[in-house]
Amino acid sequence: MIFSKKFTFIKLASLSLVSVLFVSLTQTRASADVNINVLNSVIKSCQDSPPKSNSLFQLSQFLKTEDCVRSRYYYSLFLSKFNALKDLGDLRPGFPASVLIAAMAGYYGAWTSEKFLDCMVSKESNSDECMPSNEYWSMGSLSAALNRNAIDATSICSLCFDVYNTGSTWRQNIFNDLITWFYSLDKSNRKLVVDIFSDNQFINSLKSESQEASQLYLKSKAKVEQEEQERKRRELLQ
């Protein structure tokens, strides 16, 4: 689909915000670091399939569209580099292992390659070596993480967590499945996964770019809303 570069004022009620944002973003002089095509695709994804609350996460208390944009932008580019992860299966049907690995890698350096390996060696999700898992998945930490612009797995794929609707043991079940999944891989793929946690420079640059993409979304959204408000003011006088 080809969009005209000339922006036509149209009531937002008759045109989806994501379509208006697409036009606005294509006219925005963005940082060279932000991939506008990926950003537009992610915005559409967050509009069409926003993160939804379930019995594990009351996401409406925490998530805004910009959180979804930031995390899904990160995940999209994460997979573009670590594309082989997509072929390594699910933790459970409907929950790609790549979602959890991507979110863990983006969580403030809590998971280094050594810490990840130590957790796998322990084979126990509630072991001291796997403690970052307990911090990551507590609701309090989720709220704080979002406020600090973390990458959040529930923003990437909230429906993934429906397969873990198992009450108080769901955190342990996720990491038990992660350990089982890791041991099911051949050693070359295990090394691929572990090496992700060593690529700090790429992960940090990707998190920075994802935050910049989120801010660009907010800037473009504000511009569209301002232009729409100005149009309404003019209508009152014309």
Side-chain angles (χ1 to χ4, degrees):
M1 182 179 296
I2 299 175
F3 289 84
S4 169
K5 290 188 176 181
K6 181 178 179 181
F7 182 82
T8 302
F9 288 108
I10 304 174
K11 289 184 178 181
L12 291 181
S14 64
L15 183 62
S16 68
L17 179 60
V18 65
S19 297
V20 180
L21 279 171
F22 186 100
V23 178
S24 178
L25 280 166
T26 57
Q27 300 177 77
T28 300
R29 183 165 298 191
S31 165
D33 291 336
V34 175
N35 186 315
I36 296 299
N37 289 332
V38 172
L39 178 54
N40 275 309
S41 176
V42 164
I43 291 171
K44 186 177 188 304
S45 168
C46 291
Q47 294 284 334
D48 293 346
S49 303
K52 296 180 180 180
S53 298
N54 55 36
S55 60
L56 300 180
F57 296 102
Q58 297 304 311
L59 298 179
S60 59
Q61 299 177 33
F62 304 107
L63 293 176
K64 299 178 181 179
T65 303
E66 57 264 33
D67 298 315
C68 177
V69 169
R70 181 180 62 250
S71 292
R72 292 186 187 178
Y73 183 94
Y74 165 92
Y75 183 62
S76 178
L77 294 191
F78 179 91
L79 284 185
S80 72
K81 175 162 184 175
F82 303 112
N83 188 58
L85 269 180
K86 292 189 295 185
D87 300 324
L88 297 186
D90 296 349
L91 300 183
R92 290 187 186 181
F95 194 144
S98 58
V99 170
L100 184 58
I101 296 298
M104 290 170 64
Y107 189 65
Y108 303 115
W111 291 98
T112 63
S113 55
E114 290 81 8
K115 288 182 179 179
F116 181 84
L117 274 174
D118 287 344
C119 177
M120 296 301 104
V121 168
S122 76
K123 297 186 179 182
E124 295 289 342
S125 62
N126 60 352
S127 66
D128 290 342
E129 290 80 8
C130 293
M131 278 303 292
S133 66
N134 295 326
E135 175 188 357
Y136 182 85
W137 295 111
S138 71
M139 288 304 293
S141 291
L142 173 60
S143 176
L146 290 173
N147 289 334
R148 297 195 303 270
N149 301 322
I151 302 304
D152 175 55
T154 55
S155 296
I156 297 171
C157 182
S158 56
L159 294 180
C160 291
F161 292 86
D162 287 347
V163 302
Y164 287 101
N165 188 6
T166 53
S168 61
T169 61
W170 63 273
R171 282 189 288 269
Q172 288 78 14
N173 291 338
I174 288 175
F175 272 79
N176 282 333
D177 285 348
L178 174 65
I179 292 168
T180 299
W181 168 81
F182 183 79
Y183 275 90
S184 75
L185 303 176
D186 62 38
K187 291 189 177 181
S188 63
N189 283 325
R190 291 181 193 175
K191 186 175 187 303
L192 181 153
V193 172
V194 172
D195 285 348
I196 290 172
F197 295 94
S198 300
D199 202 344
N200 293 328
Q201 183 175 356
F202 172 75
I203 295 297
N204 288 335
S205 66
L206 183 51
K207 287 168 64 178
S208 177
E209 181 180 339
S210 301
Q211 178 62 15
E212 190 170 350
S214 177
Q215 292 302 310
L216 180 58
Y217 157 76
L218 287 175
K219 179 181 177 181
S220 298
K221 177 173 178 286
K223 178 184 176 183
V224 167
E225 291 173 343
Q226 180 182 1
E227 290 173 341
E228 172 64 5
Q229 186 65 20
E230 290 172 354
R231 182 196 62 79
K232 290 179 178 179
R233 291 170 184 159
R234 287 196 300 273
E235 280 188 345
L236 291 176
L237 302 175
Q238 294 175 352

